[in-house]
Amino acid sequence: MDLVPLLQALIRIDSTSSRPNGPVLDLLEGELKPLGFTMRRTGWSDADGVEKQNLICRRGPDLPGGLALIGHTDCVPFDPSWPEALTAPVRDGHVLGRGSADTKGFLAAAVTAARRTGAGAHPLTLLFTADEEVGCLGAKQALAEGRVHPRHAIIGEPTSLVPVRAHKGYCAVEVELTGIEGHSAYPDVGASAIHAFGKLLADLEKIGAELKKKSDPTFDPPFTTWNVGVIAGGKARNIIAGTCTFSYEWRPLPGQDPRHALHLLEAACARLVTESGDRLAVAISPLRTDPAAVTALDAEIVRWLEQQSGQPAITVPFGTELPEVIGMGAEGVVFGAGDIRVAHRTGERVAVAELERCADILAGAIERFCGKAG
């Protein structure tokens, strides 16, 4: 299929992270099989027992090095009332639908670029991963397997065709405060977990101030940020709350220990328990501790993409699969068509002209970093 019909076919497959991604891989494999790729899949079941897979495609010599184009196949959920989420219409020069920008547009562009080029002296790897949206789990699985070792890599994300050479890390925990329930008319008989969170929130603000002491002007914001995004607790307004749970996330700068904020949180929770006379208990469950990722400004892949895109490389505050790709030994850059500001939203879309340019740049990257056979 041509670029736009391929993207439309990908969008029409619901690959929300809670669903199997095999049907997307089936489509991609069918497109790549005639192009001389050898293909294999690795699979696992997620925490809910849903089957997930990575698809690893290679053309050229079975050696380390060359170029990898890496994109995730899963998408965030969409509003069921959005009629275009899975229909992929083309309107006003844009393809609409969930994943059009994040990041099925890149998948279609990568396949198109492979179709426009031939086998080279160095390997071309197309790695299509699962569950990026819920923790980069597919990329972590590929890194742990240890069989993909590109020299250069382009990780597909909607960057508006601006090279991204570095980003902050992403860390998250879930915290459960357990107190003592009781009748709200007699506060001394219980210990409110919700009130305890109120005290802890002041400490979280102090932790945030501590994290701001380290800054990096190449990022915006230039410091480690934090957020409490979810909180739940209590049974009724006249019951002293016996439990309170909340999520806590932070995005560490490069060079900062990603567990630093966790250690500060653990110390604050220990103080809270002591001050309560051990009438409170705290359980901290780590969810993710992903470090920041940096590719040097003078790296060859960075300089080449700057030249081809006409845009200087930037840093971003959100996370991608770049840390895992660097772990594979590659110099990696995040790059792709589409605007991150329309991703994860109703009305997500990508410009056809931008998609075409992305495919051209990726084809040029294949020729540059894989060379010609023979």
Side-chain angles (χ1 to χ4, degrees):
M1 285 183 278
D2 291 334
L3 176 57
V4 171
L6 176 55
L7 174 54
Q8 290 175 304
L10 289 167
I11 292 171
R12 288 168 185 151
I13 300 171
D14 183 357
S15 59
T16 305
S17 299
S18 59
R19 301 172 62 89
N21 69 320
V24 172
L25 301 185
D26 293 340
L27 175 58
L28 294 170
E29 192 168 357
E31 292 293 311
L32 291 168
K33 190 170 294 184
L35 304 181
F37 283 86
T38 60
M39 287 170 279
R40 63 185 180 87
R41 298 193 192 193
T42 60
W44 67 95
S45 294
D46 68 15
D48 296 318
V50 179
E51 184 180 357
K52 301 299 175 64
Q53 299 175 78
N54 288 340
L55 175 63
I56 305 97
C57 313
R58 193 198 75 254
R59 186 173 68 188
D62 187 10
L63 297 169
L67 174 70
L69 304 180
I70 300 167
H72 63 86
T73 59
D74 62 313
C75 300
V76 297
F78 55 88
D79 189 332
S81 67
W82 181 22
E84 298 159 330
L86 299 178
T87 60
V90 178
R91 184 180 305 133
D92 299 326
H94 291 75
V95 182
L96 284 75
R98 175 58 81 232
S100 55
D102 189 14
T103 192
K104 291 179 177 180
F106 180 85
L107 305 185
V111 172
T112 300
R115 187 182 298 116
R116 294 175 181 175
T117 56
H122 304 284
L124 169 64
T125 301
L126 302 185
L127 172 58
F128 303 115
T129 62
D131 284 357
E132 187 271 349
E133 297 288 4
V134 293
C136 299
L137 303 184
K140 288 180 170 66
Q141 196 276 343
L143 175 61
E145 186 192 27
R147 293 181 60 182
V148 179
H149 298 288
R151 180 70 184 90
H152 309 279
I154 299 174
I155 300 96
E157 291 287 349
T159 70
S160 300
L161 300 183
V162 176
V164 173
R165 68 172 188 88
H167 62 68
K168 294 179 180 179
Y170 184 81
C171 307
V173 297
E174 185 174 84
V175 182
E176 182 176 30
L177 305 176
T178 302
I180 302 172
E181 287 188 346
H183 196 297
S184 63
Y186 300 94
D188 289 345
V189 305
S192 172
I194 291 178
H195 292 188
F197 170 75
K199 295 178 181 178
L200 187 59
L201 185 58
D203 280 328
L204 296 183
E205 295 280 0
K206 293 177 183 177
I207 291 172
E210 176 67 23
L211 297 175
K212 283 185 177 181
K213 291 180 180 179
K214 179 179 176 62
S215 64
D216 185 336
T218 64
F219 285 88
D220 182 19
F223 49 82
T224 296
T225 59
W226 67 277
N227 182 53
V228 174
V230 178
I231 184 170
K235 292 180 178 177
R237 65 177 180 271
N238 58 354
I239 298 176
I240 297 170
T243 61
C244 179
T245 61
F246 66 95
S247 67
Y248 174 66
E249 55 119 60
W250 64 101
R251 298 170 186 264
L253 292 169
Q256 188 175 69
D257 181 356
R259 298 182 65 86
H260 178 53
L262 176 58
H263 297 326
L264 295 175
L265 173 64
E266 290 171 337
C269 289
R271 290 194 299 271
L272 185 69
V273 171
T274 299
E275 291 169 2
S276 75
D278 293 327
R279 302 182 78 203
L280 289 166
V282 181
I284 301 174
S285 301
L287 302 176
R288 289 174 64 178
T289 312
D290 297 344
V294 178
T295 297
L297 186 58
D298 62 352
E300 186 179 5
I301 185 72
V302 174
R303 297 197 311 269
W304 189 87
L305 278 172
E306 285 182 323
Q307 180 184 34
Q308 297 301 309
S309 67
Q311 300 285 346
I314 63 171
T315 67
V316 294
F318 56 85
T320 74
E321 295 169 317
L322 182 58
E324 288 74 29
V325 172
I326 291 175
M328 297 173 188
E331 291 183 338
V333 177
V334 182
F335 181 81
D339 189 336
I340 190 67
R341 293 171 296 182
V342 304
H344 296 202
R345 295 177 59 184
T346 294
E348 181 179 353
R349 63 196 181 278
V350 64
V352 173
E354 199 169 302
L355 273 174
E356 287 285 359
R357 188 167 177 230
C358 182
D360 287 343
I361 291 174
L362 295 182
I366 294 170
E367 293 174 348
R368 172 66 182 83
F369 296 104
C370 295
K372 295 182 179 180

